[in-house]
Structures are given as C-alpha cells and as structure tokens.
Amino acid sequence: MSKQKRIAILTSGGDAPGMNAAIRAVTLKALSFDHHVFGYYGGYNGLIGEHFTELGAAHVADIIHRGGTILKSARCKDMHTNAGILQAVNSLRKNHIDALIVIGGDGSFKGAQELAQHWSGQIIGIPGTIDNDINGTDATIGFYTAIDTALDCIDKIRDTAQAFERTFVVEVMGRDCGIIAMESGLASGAEQIICKELIDDESSFVQDLKEKVADSLKNDAAHSYVIVMAEHSLSISAQELAQQLSNFTGIDSRSAILGYVQRGGAPVAGDRILATQLGVASIAHLEAGDNGVMVGIEDNKVTLTPLKETSDTHQRNRSFVARLKEYRL
Ligand code: F6P
C-alpha cells in the first residue's frame, strides 16, 4: 500500500462550473487511498494565509451539480512577489503537505511553477477555466457550461433581434481565446463571428463586416443579424461596433455583453464528467509519482503536459478556431 499522503487542493483564477465536481473527485479518490485532503480557501491566498480545512466525504457530498467553488477562488497578487511565494512554501512545509493539486488556468499554473522552484512536493494541475485556452487538453472544466449559457442568451437575443429587425453585437468571454465565440456562434447560427484568431488586419476586417451587414439587410427577407464577438478581439468595444454599424447601414444596431453570467450556473454533464475524469486521473498520477504536470484529456485519453508547456496556446487556439471555421455557413 502506498504511503498516506497529505494532499492540498485549491481552486484559483476565474471560477468555472465543474470545479466542485473536480474537488469532489479528487477528494473521494484520495480518500480511497487513505490519504488526507486539505482544501485551501481563496486560491493561493488560502495557502499563504494557512486558511484550510480537512475535507472528508461529507464536505463533497451534494456539490457535483453546483456552480462556483466551495473552496472559493481568487487571483492572488502576493504570488507575484518573492515574499508571497516563500510564504506559500512555508505554509506547505509547516503543514507537512506532500502534494498540491491546483485547479485553475494559465495564471494558476504559473503560480504552481513558482512554488516548485522552492518546494519539492508533488504538484499536479487540473485545467479549470471557461476559456478553454490551455495547451494539453481538448477542453477545460467549465467550457461546456459556458458555451451552453452563452448559447441560451444568444438564442434569446435572436428573438428580440428578429422582432425588431435589428443587428446585434453580442460579446462573449474568452480573454485571449476565441473558442467560446466560435462555438457559441456556430451553435446559434450567428451571421458573423469575431475573434482574434480570424483577424489579420482589423480595419479591413471591420470594413468588410460593415459591408456584409449592409448587403444582408438589403437582400434578406428576415432582417435580424447576430454577430458574436469575443472580448478583446477588436480595439473597439461591442457598443462602439454596434454604433458604427448603425451609422453605416442606417439600421438600428444594439450590443449586449454577456459577461460573468457565463461563469455561473450548474455545470452541464460534459463538465461534470470531464471534472470527474481529471480529478480521478490527478490522484492516479500522484500515486504513480508524477510531478509538475497537468492532467488533460485529448482524443478521449488522459494525457500529461508539463506545467511549463500549458501556456503555449497560440498555435493550439488558432488551429481549434481554424478547424471550426470550416463549418461556418
Ligand atoms: O478566465 C476566465 C475569465 O472569465 C475570462 O474569460 C475573463 O476575461 C476573465 O476571467 C475575467 O476575470 P476577472 O474575474 O478577474 O474579472
């Protein structure tokens, strides 16, 4: 039998639906090996401030279907300082932690790599962010729910766009990655999708877009026109783009920013299953002695990616978007 380990777990960065399912899977799987699991509150802030509780089966009962994270989350400024990193390391040592499981995104994995410079315990990452922008996994926990939430909102916007014969620019999240825009745009039958990965030259892209909208309004019987736009994909806001479209076409355009609604809600089945698979895999790989890696799922198989490679996303995101671009009608 393997040595009983003291495993710390935290959720960090933008919360994502399914994080609770991952906490549950990690905890139950670890308990099955008689390990101890300590849930740290508020991401790395909890580690630095030694704010934690030992998790038993009762703590994780009845959470698989809940959005948010029972451990809370944060973007921890102190982890950008040497003093903060050393405090976190001291906290791990003082509490005799053998292994740390970090559920989060790119920034959270950078924090984990900083800790690894000073601490020899095992570290495993689990990709949790609605953005689906992590190298080494086909999907991140939270993504499936976020696109369904965005889709539900876009469908509703379509109803009012249709009734008023308006053009709408709907901004979705995704920070530096257009996958939420691409998938929710495809699924909603949006007339246009805007994301960085599709733009070479912004001014010609916007000019072309205006002409396409104007042409469609002239030609089509049904005059609703929905444009799904990833946040930060243009130098102008969704509101400004809608204004420019109104000016160019002479037809009312409106904008809607979906915002944080995309981070909330009960996780859909896809996220619960992904979170469960990755949670179980993280403990299996701790048992196998792996360290400094993220567990992901690619082509239906569990894969390991060194944490330092998880932020190499440029090529990955572009090829995801390029693959989906083929299906635009
Ligand atoms: O990382 C997830 C995300 O929701 C991004 O889509 C968004 O840009 C960002 O977090 C918002 O971050 P914050 O919660 O710090 O405002």
Side-chain angles (χ1 to χ4, degrees), residues 260-287:
Y260 292 91
V261 68
Q262 294 159 98
R263 288 225 304 238
V268 298
D271 279 321
R272 299 183 199 191
I273 292 163
L274 178 65
T276 302
Q277 287 176 296
L278 294 178
V280 167
S282 69
I283 296 301
H285 283 284
L286 275 188
E287 287 299 294

Side-chain angles (χ1 to χ4, degrees), residues 75 129-131 173-175 231 260 263:
R75 302 190 196 279
T129 162
I130 64 164
D131 291 346
M173 276 188 164
R175 194 152 39 189
E231 60 177 344
Y260 292 91
R263 288 225 304 238

Side-chain angles (χ1 to χ4, degrees), residues 60-73:
V60 298
D62 201 28
I63 66 168
I64 194 169
H65 58 299
R66 295 191 195 284
T69 155
I70 58 163
L71 294 178
K72 318 283 183 191
S73 194

Side-chain angles (χ1 to χ4, degrees), residues 3-8 36 38 40 50 52 88-100 119 121:
K3 166 188 173 272
Q4 267 194 345
K5 290 185 205 290
R6 292 169 65 83
I7 302 172
H36 292 276
F38 301 92
Y40 281 76
E50 294 181 54
F52 63 88
V89 168
N90 283 341
S91 150
L92 288 164
R93 289 201 184 116
K94 186 171 154 200
N95 292 288
H96 308 287
I97 299 297
D98 300 297
L100 170 66
W119 182 63

